[in-house]
Amino acid sequence: MYNPHLETFLIVADSSSFSKASQKLFISPTAVIKQINLLENEIGFPLFYRDNKGITLTDAGKSFYNDVTYLVQYVKDSIARAKSVEKKNSHAIRLGTSIMTPCQFLLRVWNSVQQYCPEIKFELISFENTAENAREILNNLGKNIDIVANIYDNNFLKENHCNALELTKESICVAVPMYHPLAQKDIIDIKDLYGENLMLIRQGWNSYIDCLRDDLLKYHSRINIIDFQFYDIDIFNYCESSGNLLMAIGNWRNIHPLLKVIPVNWDYTIPFGIMYSLEPSKDVKKFIKNIKKVYQN
């Protein structure tokens, strides 16, 4: 590593003041002066002219400044490149997480999975939950993010060019604003939904939700279905502010503090699992194999 006093030198030169440099470095002016003195003694020539008006670089100091600027940046870039290589060679699996893609599933099985692959670690990668981001991430799994957990169907996987491992069949529930009369219930009867506005994601997004929609329109026409385009926090906010009900799953119960996710006494379910690349890395393959063991036991 280079001499750490070199960075102090650059900051002093840029600040043209020991006291201003000390504020940036969060140390005393005396400590800054001591570092510069030690550096000058080590290299054998003065770097600054010092007088009552302040400090300025000597001619040698100007030459030294140009080379040190390059040297410090080169070392920082070298460290960044080395870290990147190390990350590629590590056993870290990058788990995408957003408001709609919770990673609680991993907490439930972590101890068991660790028994099979103790060398694998996880890095959480946060992303903003937008339609554009979702498409970009799913179509490029394995590049910046390895795994994302959410609901899906086969058409969803084909459109987004990814694989999935089903972990559970989640019961389709309803999110209800806390002030709504139905929020007092622990389970909702389908007839409780008569006269209510039920928000369902658009036709064609998921075949399991399409099946629910078709049956409600056919057999329970007194439920008013409202379509929307994409699951994001705005939809949950709108559900709470409008008094409408929203189709949800149990894994989303903590998304909005003023909504209660309540089961309904029907038999509609939807697959929930982890999505990964069509050509997963060796570590991802191993993780998928072993988390499958845990869920099947």
Side-chain angles (χ1 to χ4, degrees):
M1 289 294 293
Y2 62 85
N3 189 326
H5 295 163
L6 294 177
E7 283 198 79
T8 300
F9 161 67
L10 294 179
I11 293 172
V12 171
D14 290 338
S15 303
S16 298
S17 166
F18 289 125
S19 60
K20 289 180 181 178
S22 71
Q23 293 172 8
K24 294 178 181 178
L25 292 165
F26 301 101
I27 58 177
S28 70
T30 303
V32 173
I33 294 171
K34 183 177 180 181
Q35 289 189 32
I36 296 301
N37 289 341
L38 288 171
L39 180 60
E40 288 178 329
N41 289 335
E42 183 176 343
I43 60 179
F45 56 83
L47 295 168
F48 296 98
Y49 293 118
R50 315 181 196 194
D51 56 35
N52 293 333
K53 295 180 181 179
I55 60 172
T56 55
L57 284 168
T58 64
D59 289 341
K62 291 176 183 178
S63 175
F64 194 62
Y65 177 90
N66 292 332
D67 291 335
V68 168
T69 300
Y70 168 78
L71 174 63
V72 169
Q73 189 58 51
Y74 182 81
V75 171
K76 288 181 177 179
D77 291 343
S78 297
I79 293 171
R81 286 192 294 269
K83 284 183 176 179
S84 178
V85 171
E86 173 63 21
K87 188 171 287 186
K88 287 180 181 179
N89 293 334
S90 73
H91 296 285
I93 292 177
R94 298 159 297 178
L95 179 61
T97 179
S98 73
I99 195 73
M100 295 302 306
T101 57
C103 53
Q104 286 92 335
F105 78 94
L106 184 60
L107 300 178
R108 293 197 296 267
V109 298
W110 177 242
N111 288 335
S112 300
V113 171
Q114 278 276 283
Q115 295 178 11
Y116 297 109
C117 40
E119 76 282 3
I120 291 179
K121 309 298 179 185
F122 283 88
E123 179 183 358
L124 297 185
I125 307 293
S126 176
F127 64 91
E128 185 181 357
N129 200 76
T130 65
E132 294 76 15
N133 276 357
R135 283 193 296 270
E136 180 70 16
I137 288 168
L138 290 171
N139 277 276
N140 291 282
L141 285 172
K143 292 185 178 178
N144 298 315
I145 291 176
D146 296 309
I147 287 174
V148 174
N150 211 343
I151 57 176
Y152 66 93
D153 69 355
N154 287 333
N155 286 334
F156 184 86
L157 299 178
K158 289 179 182 178
E159 288 177 4
N160 291 285
H161 311 290
C162 58
N163 280 322
L165 172 66
E166 181 180 311
L167 301 179
T168 61
K169 277 282 199 308
E170 290 287 313
S171 295
I172 294 180
C173 304
V174 171
V176 180
M178 287 296 192
Y179 59 79
H180 195 288
L182 290 179
Q184 305 304 314
K185 290 180 169 286
D186 293 323
I187 187 166
I188 293 174
D189 187 86
I190 193 166
K191 291 185 178 179
D192 293 332
L193 302 177
Y194 287 3
E196 301 287 348
N197 295 328
L198 177 61
M199 299 165 64
L200 296 179
I201 196 165
R202 62 176 174 78
Q203 183 86 26
W205 189 83
N206 185 284
S207 58
Y208 294 86
I209 300 175
D210 289 346
C211 179
L212 170 62
R213 174 190 283 101
D214 292 343
D215 286 353
L216 293 181
L217 289 173
K218 184 175 182 179
Y219 301 112
H220 303 280
S221 58
R222 292 175 61 187
I223 301 173
N224 182 30
I225 294 176
I226 298 177
D227 290 338
F228 64 93
Q229 290 298 308
F230 184 74
Y231 272 109
D232 57 18
I233 193 60
D234 289 338
I235 288 299
F236 285 81
N237 284 331
Y238 180 71
C239 172
E240 191 278 329
S241 63
S242 66
N244 292 340
L245 310 181
L246 174 67
M247 183 241 123
I249 60 172
N251 277 328
W252 298 345
R253 64 176 59 88
N254 296 320
I255 287 178
H256 198 297
L258 298 179
L259 295 178
K260 181 180 179 182
V261 176
I262 306 175
V264 184
N265 65 346
W266 56 28
D267 295 324
Y268 297 97
T269 60
I270 190 168
F272 175 88
I274 50 179
M275 283 157 272
Y276 57 97
S277 169
L278 294 174
E279 297 180 358
S281 68
K282 182 172 68 173
D283 286 326
V284 171
K285 284 181 180 178
K286 186 172 183 179
F287 172 72
I288 295 297
K289 175 183 176 181
N290 288 295
I291 199 171
K292 190 175 182 181
K293 285 182 188 176
V294 173
Y295 269 86
Q296 287 179 343
N297 287 342

